[in-house]
Amino acid sequence: EGIEQASVVLYMISLESVISEYCLQELVYASELNKRIVPIRIGDVSDSEIPTLVRNIQYIDFTSDDEDIYQKSTNALLAELKQEREYFHQHKIYLSQALKWEKQGQNPSILLRNFGLEKAQAWLEIAHKYRSNLPTNLQQDFIATSDKEGKHIIPEVFISYSRSDGDFAKKLNRNLQTHGKTTWFDQENIDLASDFKEALYKGVEDSQNFLFVISPNSVTSKYCEDEVKYAHQSGK
């Protein structure tokens, strides 16, 4: 699960790691998921001893005891981790969703819709640049199925909440989807370039039920009040 949920996998090259079955298993799984692997060398190991999966990847050398050299290596690692960070972040997100979709017998409530689907399709279009970190077949199947079937799914639940309660709302949305409920959740369905209020109203209209998250923040929010009023006017 840790490998699945990470954007980058750091592999520490040492005399112990190159003969460790556990480290090799982790490398193999990360490679199967097309994860970005960044090797860092912390031990005196010959190139021929380095696992073939990472032998051709430029490693960052942490073998020196000199504090200045260590700091330079740290800076090099931090700079490396910043490279194409958004692409690999999205790779992680779509992989996590696709794996959940597969593990739940291709649960349709998890399929992408609206802006979330458009964003995933845009990500696929630029993915050809990453020859060793392309989308997996599962990710591609998940996005293709979302395009084919997701647009026809009627949301069962519109989630209204205060931005201050975003972490709770995100967890609630995820749990509802896990239990087979299709949701309308603004973070997945609204493009920042779109008319936010119009998109919200359309979400309320399209959804079968309106769920309001009660908190000290939401009961004083003018935006939440407006959503509740529109849901009431729409007979939800």
Side-chain angles (χ1 to χ4, degrees), residues 42-57:
I42 63 172
D44 188 13
V45 181
S46 66
D47 290 348
S48 62
E49 293 176 294
I50 298 175
T52 55
L53 285 172
V54 293
R55 192 174 296 167
N56 294 325
I57 303 176

Side-chain angles (χ1 to χ4, degrees), residues 199-214:
L200 283 173
Y201 282 0
K202 182 70 165 54
V204 172
E205 294 168 4
D206 291 345
S207 302
Q208 296 174 342
N209 301 282
F210 182 89
L211 187 152
F212 179 59
V213 178
I214 300 174

Side-chain angles (χ1 to χ4, degrees), residues 7 20 43 52 65 80 92 116 130 149 155 157 191 221 223 233:
S7 298
S20 167
T52 55
D65 293 328
E80 182 68 24
K92 172 190 70 174
Y130 304 88
E149 301 178 9
V157 184
D191 183 348
S221 167
Y223 300 104
Q233 293 170 6

Side-chain angles (χ1 to χ4, degrees), residues 61-78:
D61 198 338
F62 275 87
T63 57
S64 176
D65 293 328
D66 183 278
E67 188 61 33
D68 290 338
I69 297 178
Y70 180 88
Q71 189 57 51
K72 288 181 180 179
S73 297
T74 301
N75 292 338
L77 174 59
L78 293 173

Side-chain angles (χ1 to χ4, degrees), residues 150-188:
K151 63 185 71 175
H152 304 299
I153 296 175
I154 298 175
E156 293 182 76
V157 184
F158 179 100
I159 301 177
S160 175
Y161 67 99
S162 165
R163 283 287 176 277
S164 302
D165 305 317
D167 289 343
F168 172 82
K170 187 180 295 184
K171 180 179 179 181
L172 177 65
N173 175 62
R174 185 168 60 246
N175 288 339
L176 286 171
Q177 291 178 342
T178 298
H179 287 83
K181 298 300 178 184
T182 52
T183 60
W184 197 100
F185 188 53
D186 61 354
Q187 295 182 39
E188 297 178 348

